[in-house]
Amino acid sequence: MAYYLSSFLDFLGLQTISAGLERLILFLTPSFVLLIWFSKKKVSRTECAALVASYLGTVFVFSYDVKTGGPEVILGCFLVLGRAIFIGRYLTFSEGLFQRIGAMRMVANAMCVSSAACILQFFLLQTVSMPGHRLSAVGNIKTLD
């Protein structure tokens, strides 16, 4: 579900921020993995310098986009940042599963659950159109004349 929620947050965020800023925020995902691991391993000076550089660059681009895009950019950034955190947590906490069942099977499982959640969301929120018919989200079929 973390994979589904992260994709959902990403698409919501892209409605209010530029793709460039979105990509820059997503490039912070490895830093969240590293921050989650702070309690498990010692972080080197090189890793700390990389963290500082990546966050300073993101703040620089973010400040420019807020000036040009307005306050909705802040919301979009938080949504995409949520996506990066979800993926960081997913990668960190599923590490054992990756080792136990393999990367291919793990990704296939994540995609199946994510796809099922997307299809469920579609049927809950949209109306399905078929040639000559309309199927509402609650299952009523009406003939279009």
Side-chain angles (χ1 to χ4, degrees), residues 11-53:
F11 286 125
L12 284 177
L14 274 171
Q15 293 177 2
T16 59
I17 64 173
S18 67
L21 180 58
E22 181 255 358
R23 288 284 115 193
L24 192 60
I25 293 170
L26 290 183
F27 285 140
L28 296 177
T29 301
S31 71
F32 294 123
V33 172
L34 187 64
L35 291 172
I36 292 169
W37 280 347
F38 261 141
S39 61
K40 296 180 183 179
K41 73 171 205 146
K42 185 178 178 183
V43 179
S44 70
R45 286 186 178 174
T46 305
E47 291 169 332
C48 284
L51 283 173
V52 169

Side-chain angles (χ1 to χ4, degrees), residues 7 15-16 19 30 44 49 53 55 59 61 76 85 91 110 115 120 124 132:
S7 297
Q15 293 177 2
T16 59
S44 70
Y55 282 102
V59 167
V61 173
I85 291 170
L91 292 172
S115 297
L120 178 66
L124 290 175

